[in-house]
Amino acid sequence: MFKSAIPFIPEYFDRYIDQTEDVAMLEMLERSQTELQNYDWDKLESLGDTVYAPGKWTGRDILQHLIDTERILSYRALCIARGEAVNLPGFEEDDYALHAQGNQRNFEDLKTELLTLRTSTLQLFRSFSDAMLLRMGSTSGKQMNTIALGFIIAGHQRHHFRILKERYF
């Protein structure tokens, strides 16, 4: 299933979906997994507690945010694929970051968790039939289908890696 199978791109999430190519969604997730595997982790770790502006996140905070967000988006995909009819709740990323305390975690643990999570995310999306990928649901009051969430996961990663490149390095 390609990006063109998304009936409309929900506002706010367009910033992530626009970071992806119009390829099959599983291919896009696989590409993003390869980008994770080939990322310059030593360079990111060398940032330590550096932030590009007061109140912004450290590299470890960003990794924790990627983990939390991928888990939430994967859960939403599972719910929609299985026909959940209720509106799934949103989340406030800054509150999650504050309570997650990613900057207090070991860098290698965060890296390993993110790489492991992506493998799990790929397995989840591979388990969905075409009908499940096209199924519509509601998250944060916005209608979207399961396939959109796969593209959002890949694009969200690229969005934050671009911020790291432009503002930290």
Side-chain angles (χ1 to χ4, degrees), residues 37-48:
Q37 292 166 338
N38 295 330
Y39 195 71
D40 189 347
W41 295 105
D42 292 335
K43 188 174 182 179
L44 181 58
E45 185 176 20
S46 73
L47 288 175

Side-chain angles (χ1 to χ4, degrees), residues 43-66:
K43 188 174 182 179
L44 181 58
E45 185 176 20
S46 73
L47 288 175
D49 294 334
T50 301
V51 294
Y52 72 86
K56 296 300 180 182
W57 296 338
T58 67
R60 285 177 293 178
D61 288 327
I62 292 170
L63 290 179
Q64 182 66 64
H65 168 69
L66 288 171

Side-chain angles (χ1 to χ4, degrees), residues 7-49:
F8 57 89
I9 297 177
E11 186 179 346
Y12 180 80
F13 295 105
D14 57 343
R15 71 188 76 202
Y16 305 127
I17 294 172
D18 289 347
Q19 298 284 322
T20 65
E21 295 87 46
D22 190 19
V23 297
M25 184 269 301
L26 286 174
E27 181 181 342
M28 190 66 246
L29 281 172
E30 289 165 353
R31 286 181 184 186
S32 67
Q33 182 180 42
T34 300
E35 291 166 7
L36 280 175
Q37 292 166 338
N38 295 330
Y39 195 71
D40 189 347
W41 295 105
D42 292 335
K43 188 174 182 179
L44 181 58
E45 185 176 20
S46 73
L47 288 175
D49 294 334

Side-chain angles (χ1 to χ4, degrees), residues 46-130:
S46 73
L47 288 175
D49 294 334
T50 301
V51 294
Y52 72 86
K56 296 300 180 182
W57 296 338
T58 67
R60 285 177 293 178
D61 288 327
I62 292 170
L63 290 179
Q64 182 66 64
H65 168 69
L66 288 171
I67 291 165
D68 288 349
T69 302
E70 185 158 336
R71 285 190 180 185
I72 290 166
L73 295 176
S74 293
Y75 171 74
R76 289 176 178 178
L78 175 65
C79 290
I80 293 171
R82 299 296 190 254
E84 181 61 66
V86 301
N87 177 52
L88 299 167
F91 72 104
E92 177 49 54
E93 63 184 32
D94 288 322
D95 291 343
Y96 272 58
L98 175 69
H99 296 290
Q101 300 177 346
N103 198 40
Q104 305 303 314
R105 294 193 55 200
N106 175 280
F107 182 87
E108 195 62 34
D109 288 347
L110 287 164
K111 172 188 161 188
T112 300
E113 185 176 349
L114 182 58
L115 290 166
T116 302
L117 177 59
R118 180 53 54 84
T119 298
S120 177
T121 298
L122 268 162
Q123 290 173 322
L124 174 66
F125 276 89
R126 285 182 184 126
S127 76
F128 296 150
S129 68
D130 287 351

